[in-house]
Amino acid sequence: MDDSRYALRDFRESDLEPYAALYKAIVRDQPISAATFRAEWELQRGVPNPWPWFSVDERSSHRLVAVAGLVRNLFQADPLRPWIFGDVDPDHVHQGIGTHLYERVLSVAGEGGATGLRCTVRGDHSAALAFLAHRGFVERRRSWVSALDLASADTSALPMLTAKLSHEGIELTTLEREGPERDDVFRGLYDLALVTGGDVPRVGAFTPPTYEEYRRLQLGGPSFHPDSWMLAKEGDRYVGVSSAGTDAADPGVLHQWYTATRSEFRGRKVAETLKLRLIDFARKRGYVRITTANDSLNQPMWSLNQRLGFHKISERIHTEKVFDPVG
Ligand SMILES: CC(C)(COP(=O)(O)OP(=O)(O)OC[C@H]1O[C@@H](n2cnc3c(N)ncnc32)[C@H](O)[C@@H]1OP(=O)(O)O)[C@@H](O)C(=O)NCCC(=O)NCCS
C-alpha cells in the first residue's frame, strides 16, 4: 500500500454509511444497509474485550476505500478464533490495501492471543478465495443461500397442518402476540435457542451467548419485526421457532433467520408449519422473496427448504487458518 496515497486508521461510526455503499459496490445482489452494519458494530462494541476494526482512506479525496476487522460470532464464539472480514473498493484493488489491512488485523489477533482466524467468503468471489488461500486459510464448511419466490409458493397444506398441531395441543403464535418486551417470553426463546443450537452444523463448537447478548442480538436494529417470528408453544413452553427480519437495502426480501424445533417434538411437522406460516405472512405483507442460509450438511433443514420450493442462489465458504503454535 502506498502510504503517500492511502492512510490506515481506526474505524469510526461515521464510516458506517460509506461502508454500506462500498459493500454494495462489491456485493450487488445481496446488499447490506448502513443500519444493519450499525447494529452489528454496536453489538460487537458491547462484547467484553471487543476486537478492533480498521479503515483506509484515500488521502486526496478523504474517501473511505477499505474496511477490515475482527468479530465475535455469538453462537460459535471461541474467543481465540475470531472471524476476520475485509472489503476493498473495486476502484482501489491491486494496490496492496487488502494485504496491508490483513497484516494489521493479523497482528492484533496475535497480540490478543488468537490461535487462528476464521473467514466467510462467497463461493463466486474467486479473488477473495485466492487471497485467503495464499495466506493459509483452508475450507472448513459451506453454507448455501437459497431463495423462495413467493409468487409461486404453495401454502395449501397450512390449514390441515395447523389443525393437526392444534389437535396435538400445540398452539401457533407470534412473538408480537406473546409480547417482545416481556422478559419471560425472551427467556423462553433463549432456552429454545440453547437446547437446539448444538444441533446446527457449524464451524467449531456451539458456544451459546449469554442471555443479555442473545436479547441484544435479537432486538438490535431496525430489521427486528416481532410479527415475523412464528412460534409453536405447548403450555408455557416454546417448542418451535421460525424467525425472520428485513434489511432496508433490499426491502422486497424477508430474511429467514432461525428455524428450530425441540428435539422431542421433531418429525411432527412443527418446523414445516412454522415456515409455511412465515411464507403466508410474507406474501400477505407484499414481500417478493424469502432468503435463507443453511450449512450444506444440514440435511433436515435443506430437505424441508427444498420441499417448500427454495432454490440455491449462492454459496458461502467458511475458511479457517490455524496459527503455527511455535511461530
Ligand atoms: C431442521 C428442524 C428445524 C426440523 O424440525 P421438525 O419440526 O422436526 O421438521 P418437520 O417435522 O416439520 O419436518 C418437515 C420436513 O422436513 C424434512 N425433514 C425434517 N427432519 C428431517 C431429517 N432428520 N432428515 C431429513 N429430512 C427431514 C422432511 O422433508 C420433513 O417432511 P416429512 O416429515 O414428510 O418427511 C430440526 O431438525 C431442528 O431443530 N434442527 C436444529 C436447528 C437447525 O439446524 N436449524 C436450521 C438452522 S436455521
Side-chain angles (χ1 to χ4, degrees):
M1 184 176 95
D2 179 354
D3 282 337
S4 66
R5 189 170 169 206
Y6 298 109
L8 186 145
R9 59 173 172 78
D10 289 340
F11 185 90
R12 51 184 179 239
E13 190 177 356
S14 57
D15 290 334
L16 290 165
E17 287 281 350
Y19 181 33
L22 186 159
Y23 187 82
K24 192 174 176 183
I26 302 170
V27 187
R28 292 184 180 280
D29 58 336
Q30 291 170 19
I32 297 177
S33 66
T36 299
F37 277 120
R38 174 179 296 282
E40 177 65 22
W41 189 63
E42 288 175 352
L43 185 77
Q44 294 293 331
R45 294 308 89 198
V47 304
N49 306 316
W51 292 102
W53 293 13
F54 300 102
S55 299
V56 171
D57 291 329
E58 184 183 38
R59 290 185 191 276
S60 59
S61 62
H62 303 288
R63 267 189 57 210
L64 179 80
V65 297
V67 175
L70 293 168
V71 295
R72 203 180 124 198
N73 177 327
L74 291 185
F75 291 91
Q76 45 205 81
D78 180 342
L80 302 182
R81 291 283 161 88
W83 293 76
I84 181 171
F85 69 94
D87 298 293
V88 179
D89 186 318
D91 292 340
H92 296 266
V93 293
H94 302 306
Q95 306 285 332
I97 298 173
T99 299
H100 193 72
L101 271 169
Y102 172 73
E103 281 164 5
R104 182 63 188 269
V105 172
L106 189 66
S107 115
V108 297
E111 285 158 20
T115 58
L117 292 176
R118 292 171 177 157
C119 186
T120 295
V121 62
R122 267 178 62 147
D124 56 354
H125 283 190
S126 49
L129 282 166
F131 181 98
L132 292 170
H134 291 154
R135 286 158 184 81
F137 284 76
V138 294
E139 179 176 334
R140 292 280 187 236
R141 313 290 285 221
R142 282 181 185 223
S143 52
W144 293 330
V145 180
S146 55
L148 175 72
D149 296 319
L150 287 163
S152 58
D154 178 7
T155 52
S156 57
L158 194 49
M160 181 271 288
L161 289 172
T162 304
K164 169 195 172 314
L165 291 181
S166 166
H167 182 70
E168 294 174 11
I170 295 175
E171 181 194 342
L172 300 172
T173 177
T174 65
L175 179 52
E176 181 168 57
R177 210 181 299 154
E178 296 296 294
E181 68 295 336
R182 281 177 51 185
D183 194 55
D184 59 328
V185 169
F186 248 87
R187 286 201 183 271
L189 295 174
Y190 177 60
D191 180 61
L192 181 59
L194 290 192
V195 298
T196 55
D199 297 337
V200 183
R202 62 180 86 235
V203 181
F206 171 57
T207 47
T210 64
Y211 173 63
E212 278 315 317
E213 286 169 344
Y214 174 80
R215 225 183 127 83
R216 272 197 300 128
L217 178 70
Q218 306 299 354
L219 292 173
S223 58
F224 172 71
H225 307 295
D227 51 358
S228 59
W229 281 58
M230 304 298 154
L231 304 174
K233 203 174 167 185
E234 189 192 60
D236 286 342
R237 194 163 63 134
Y238 296 111
V239 300
V241 60
S242 191
S243 59
T246 55
D247 189 307
D250 216 352
V253 177
L254 190 63
H255 299 281
Q256 174 109 57
W257 287 339
Y258 188 54
T259 300
T261 303
R262 272 181 197 276
S263 57
E264 61 273 35
F265 288 81
R266 288 185 191 158
R268 288 166 60 178
K269 302 281 190 190
V270 171
E272 186 166 335
T273 310
L274 292 175
K275 287 195 90 143
L276 282 170
R277 272 169 55 87
L278 189 70
I279 293 167
D280 188 50
F281 162 86
R283 194 159 36 202
K284 286 179 179 150
R285 287 294 172 93
Y287 291 101
V288 177
R289 192 173 306 120
I290 297 181
T291 62
T292 185
N294 296 108
D295 192 287
S296 63
L297 299 184
N298 199 335
Q299 189 56 39
M301 199 67 245
W302 186 243
S303 302
L304 174 53
N305 284 342
Q306 271 185 313
R307 182 195 184 106
L308 294 171
F310 281 82
H311 59 277
K312 190 170 149 188
I313 54 170
S314 64
E315 210 164 29
R316 290 180 192 159
I317 302 188
H318 308 295
T319 66
E320 187 172 44
K321 174 192 172 83
V322 178
F323 297 161
D324 178 349
V326 183

